Amino acid sequence: MKKFLDLITEEMQSAFTACGYDEDLAKVTLSNRPDLCEYQCNGAMAAAKRYKKKPIDIANEIVEKLKESRCFEDVSAVMPGFINLKIAGPFLAEYMNGMCAADKLGMEEVQEKQTVIVDYGGANVAKPLHVGHLRAAVIGEAIKRMGRFVGHKVIGDVHLGDWGLQMGLIIEELKDRKPNLPYFDESFTGEYPAEAPFTISELEEIYPAASAKSKADPAFKERAQQATFKLQSGYAPYRAIWRHIMNVSLADLKKNYANLDVEFDLWKGESDAEPYIPGLIKDLTDKGLAYESQGALVVDVVEETDAKELPPCIIRKSDGASLYATSDLATIIEREQDFKPDHYVYVVDKRQDLHFKQVFRVAKKAGIVSPDRRMDFVGFGTMNGKDGKPFKTREGGVMRLEDLIAEITDAAYKRIMENENHAMEGGEAKETARIVGLAALKYGDLSNQATKDYVFDIDRFTSFEGNTGPYILYTVARINSILKKYAAIRETGAAQACGCDAGTGSVSAAGCGGETILPPAGEPEKTLMLALARFSEVMHTSFEELAPHKICAYIYELSNALNHFYHETKIIAEEDEAKRAGYIGLVTLTRACLTTCIDLLGFEAAERM
Ligand code: ARG
């Protein structure tokens, strides 16, 4: 199906051309005065300049032309030359029924399917996942799902930090603790044990201990740097320890991401880019882009149009070690070879803005990717506590992601129990709390524009009222309950009519459950339909702008419209059967839109709350 806005724009364009004006003037937008109209067109103002006429005269001509249009029930010209539009009920209902019948609720997929790589997650192996990694996972997962929904081939890569100093720190700490391990015996020639010399809990304790030690003891830090260098140069015993660290740590990471409903297609890391580094450095040097500066190898990235000075990108330190930027460039070479992506998206802390600017520029300058390749850095802000400082535990330490999820699930459980008529048994209440908790957490994050810092507020996030995940879920649960009642009534009705037992008359989640939606009879119903009509538009724009918060804003609006409609309308008690069936179609369609969006944001709805 065509986008709703496109349909009415086309109608406006034919009016403009029929009156002898250029088609490009006929731009229609959502009204910024909802009290006056639903959509508007300001094209008469621009036309006035082009055709040297009064804007109001042009507007009046267009209005006259549109009198007969099936799209509008009211078209009026307002000084100095605005054209105000109200959508015709039958036209709107027809669009609703079209959405019900079509795939993906009538959203057409993009015409040009692209291969998109989304680099998100970015956890550092052997360090516990903490809230700093929450945003990358949550935002990246949503972007990945949104891209797929509009029709792209999207590949999600966790891009682990698995090659850095933490490895050297762990190796040296292990050496101090267990010097007799064969990895530290240079004369050892046998096979290394298959079993790791530590458990995940030991590993989680070893890293912070080693990190603290390196801050107090420069000699230890020096050793760790040496060990890291040895590992990166391929020293077999350290590679063996590294593999143990990876195995133990990955199992734990996978469990953590799964709890967040975050799934990666690729579990690659910085270490995978290592083999591409020598070729990269040679290429940059051969092309005359890389040059020596104070012993380091650097590439200039300044461009004439820069307002601020950009420092050169360092690709090799004076001690021969490669850097974060080197690894990201090498990864692009690898990705070009494996996938040839049309579009790169990196979801990383916004403090890495400069790093990515440099990396993108070097990649383009060196021809690793073409100059017009789309490379986006989605830099996100910090998640703060109520004190406005980066989120911490009550004791002031770094909050582990597991603990955070447990805390919000508890809070959701309490909310459910507070609701007197929840009627849930223990098992269902626990499962519902998990679902609601995750919705609270993710919506709390995604409803903010990614670049902004936000305050993590459990009380607000788990509230069933206001702009929250649980409110959206509550709306879905409300629709479920309406549909259940309706199905029950239909069953008894049918049973009475034929004098037999009817089967379970459940209403399908897709489309309108087979009911025909009628033109809206009142304002609440129309407002809801107008919101639904924007579905495909919102899906495309949100992905194009990599903006999950736009989907949040949309489902908040949809939920408000649904609840307003619910309070103003007797749905089940409506006596006119066709009307009642139409209402059922409408709320079923609303549920389908809401649950589709919720899924794109990376959470799910509970059956009831
Ligand atoms: N591991 C990095 C960190 O914790 C994030 C990695 C982001 N992705 C990338 N391609 N650099 O800061």
Side-chain angles (χ1 to χ4, degrees):
M1 283 169 83
K2 282 192 180 160
K3 287 182 197 151
F4 192 70
L5 184 63
D6 289 349
L7 286 178
I8 50 185
T9 303
E10 278 167 20
E11 190 75 357
M12 188 58 75
Q13 284 169 342
S14 0
F16 269 72
T17 40
C19 295
Y21 304 113
D22 291 340
E23 186 180 277
D24 66 301
L25 297 162
K27 201 169 161 305
V28 178
T29 57
L30 260 186
S31 160
N32 49 26
R33 285 290 304 272
D35 52 325
L36 296 180
C37 58
E38 294 151 1
Y39 284 88
Q40 67 184 57
C41 169
N42 301 348
M45 258 78 77
K49 287 202 192 91
R50 199 176 293 174
Y51 295 94
K52 313 229 173 326
K53 281 192 186 175
K54 272 206 218 121
I56 193 70
D57 292 346
I58 298 178
N60 275 322
E61 277 178 71
I62 303 291
V63 166
E64 200 47 45
K65 254 277 140 354
L66 286 172
K67 280 260 153 71
E68 301 298 299
S69 166
R70 54 190 285 279
C71 298
F72 310 112
E73 68 185 16
D74 187 45
V75 187
S76 51
V78 181
M79 284 302 271
F82 296 111
I83 302 166
N84 289 351
L85 306 164
K86 280 195 179 152
I87 304 297
F91 174 68
L92 189 55
E94 193 184 298
Y95 196 81
M96 296 294 104
N97 289 312
M99 284 177 73
C100 292
D103 253 9
K104 293 196 170 184
L105 301 165
M107 188 212 66
E108 276 177 30
E109 294 192 349
V110 288
Q111 263 156 11
E112 248 176 78
K113 289 195 194 312
Q114 299 194 322
T115 300
V116 185
I117 190 130
V118 185
D119 179 316
Y120 69 109
N124 297 316
V125 172
K127 302 187 191 176
L129 260 195
H130 60 82
V131 299
H133 291 110
L134 174 70
R135 298 211 70 191
V138 169
I139 300 168
E141 180 71 16
I143 290 178
K144 180 190 77 182
R145 294 184 187 202
M146 286 154 57
R148 283 196 185 144
F149 187 70
V150 298
H152 295 299
K153 177 179 177 218
V154 188
I155 304 161
D157 183 3
V158 65
H159 199 77
L160 297 170
D162 60 356
W163 207 228
L165 182 62
Q166 83 261 38
M167 297 297 176
L169 286 166
I170 293 168
I171 292 171
E172 285 305 317
E173 179 64 20
L174 201 61
K175 194 189 219 165
D176 286 356
R177 292 182 184 203
K178 306 182 182 179
N180 295 328
L181 287 172
Y183 313 95
F184 306 119
D185 174 3
E186 295 202 4
S187 60
F188 183 82
T189 50
E191 246 187 59
Y192 293 114
E195 189 84 0
F198 39 70
T199 62
I200 181 69
S201 13
E202 277 177 272
L203 192 58
E204 281 178 356
E205 188 261 320
I206 291 177
Y207 171 73
S211 163
K213 200 158 153 187
S214 78
K215 280 179 194 127
D217 178 358
F220 181 78
K221 187 171 181 186
E222 174 65 32
R223 273 167 56 200
Q225 275 163 343
Q226 290 290 336
T228 309
F229 192 69
K230 255 173 133 171
L231 164 73
Q232 297 185 345
S233 333
Y235 183 58
Y238 288 3
R239 287 270 176 153
I241 299 181
W242 177 79
R243 271 193 294 276
H244 287 311
I245 300 176
M246 288 298 283
N247 287 338
V248 170
S249 196
L250 268 183
D252 188 58
L253 270 177
K254 287 191 176 169
K255 191 187 77 201
N256 270 297
Y257 279 124
N259 283 339
L260 270 180
D261 266 344
V262 168
E263 230 173 75
F264 298 97
D265 305 291
L266 300 177
W267 283 84
K268 294 247 177 192
E270 292 174 10
S271 64
D272 291 290
E274 190 68 6
Y276 299 88
I277 291 181
L280 166 73
I281 293 193
K282 181 169 183 309
D283 187 46
L284 290 173
T285 316
D286 288 352
K287 286 189 171 131
L289 293 171
Y291 64 92
E292 294 258 349
S293 167
Q294 295 164 348
L297 201 61
V298 306
V299 177
D300 282 333
V301 293
V302 276
E303 282 171 14
E304 266 176 31
T305 49
D306 288 345
K308 257 201 327 220
E309 186 145 348
L310 276 193
C313 180
I314 310 176
I315 53 170
R316 200 179 59 205
K317 288 201 292 192
S318 50
D319 64 4
S322 56
L323 293 106
Y324 189 37
T326 329
S327 157
D328 265 322
L329 284 163
T331 304
I332 298 176
I333 299 179
E334 184 189 11
R335 288 175 178 163
E336 283 297 303
Q337 177 194 290
D338 293 351
F339 309 109
K340 280 218 157 306
D342 302 292
H343 184 183
Y344 286 80
V345 181
Y346 293 82
V347 184
V348 189
D349 191 308
K350 72 176 173 199
R351 284 168 290 190
Q352 296 191 18
D353 181 49
L354 173 63
H355 163 77
F356 282 100
K357 229 178 227 138
Q358 292 176 317
V359 167
F360 295 168
R361 287 200 179 174
V362 176
K364 291 186 174 179
K365 235 176 138 172
I368 303 171
V369 300
S370 59
D372 59 350
R373 186 71 49 86
R374 185 163 170 201
M375 300 186 102
D376 283 310
F377 170 62
V378 179
F380 53 79
T382 311
M383 178 175 129
N384 289 324
K386 277 189 182 167
D387 57 359
K389 301 204 186 95
F391 194 81
K392 292 267 160 65
T393 57
R394 276 189 211 100
E395 295 75 39
V398 179
M399 177 70 118
R400 296 171 51 129
L401 195 53
E402 288 179 65
D403 299 336
L404 183 81
I405 296 177
E407 208 167 293
I408 202 154
T409 308
D410 277 355
Y413 187 77
K414 284 200 192 99
R415 294 270 189 188
I416 293 168
M417 288 300 145
E418 274 166 20
N419 184 352
E420 285 147 17
N421 40 14
H422 67 76
M424 272 186 232
E425 301 283 335
E428 187 189 351
K430 286 245 146 62
E431 173 60 9
T432 307
R434 186 193 69 79
I435 294 172
V436 175
L438 199 59
L441 183 74
K442 289 194 167 187
Y443 190 93
D445 186 305
L446 293 168
S447 52
N448 304 286
Q449 206 178 326
T451 48
K452 298 222 169 95
D453 296 346
Y454 75 96
V455 173
F456 184 81
D457 180 343
I458 287 204
D459 287 339
R460 190 171 80 71
F461 286 7
T462 56
S463 168
F464 286 13
E465 280 156 42
N467 190 5
T468 70
Y471 169 68
I472 311 287
L473 264 48
Y474 195 78
T475 308
V476 174
R478 167 167 280 165
I479 301 176
N480 288 340
S481 131
I482 299 172
L483 295 181
K484 231 190 204 144
K485 274 189 203 139
Y486 181 66
I489 290 171
R490 292 263 298 226
E491 247 174 66
T492 33
Q496 274 161 5
C498 70
C500 60
D501 256 4
T504 43
S506 74
V507 181
S508 89
C512 321
E515 310 291 7
T516 302
I517 298 177
L518 303 180
E523 177 275 319
E525 199 180 356
K526 192 174 190 192
T527 305
L528 177 57
M529 289 189 190
L530 285 168
L532 288 166
R534 286 179 20 240
F535 177 76
S536 19
E537 175 81 26
V538 174
M539 295 305 107
H540 282 285
T541 326
S542 313
F543 179 70
E544 202 36 52
E545 297 175 15
L546 306 174
H549 73 276
K550 294 209 162 167
I551 297 188
C552 292
Y554 178 62
I555 56 178
Y556 182 49
E557 184 190 329
L558 261 187
S559 298
N560 284 337
L562 182 285
N563 288 313
H564 179 47
F565 169 67
Y566 171 83
H567 289 302
E568 299 294 317
T569 318
K570 290 199 183 79
I571 299 177
I572 296 294
E574 172 59 53
E575 279 166 17
D576 180 327
E577 272 192 37
K579 262 192 178 173
R580 187 178 65 181
Y583 292 158
I584 293 299
L586 184 60
V587 299
T588 311
L589 177 62
T590 309
R591 181 176 68 174
C593 280
L594 286 174
T595 51
T596 302
C597 291
I598 286 172
D599 180 58
L600 297 182
L601 296 174
F603 50 97
E604 53 182 327
E607 179 60 30
R608 53 183 184 165
M609 275 165 75

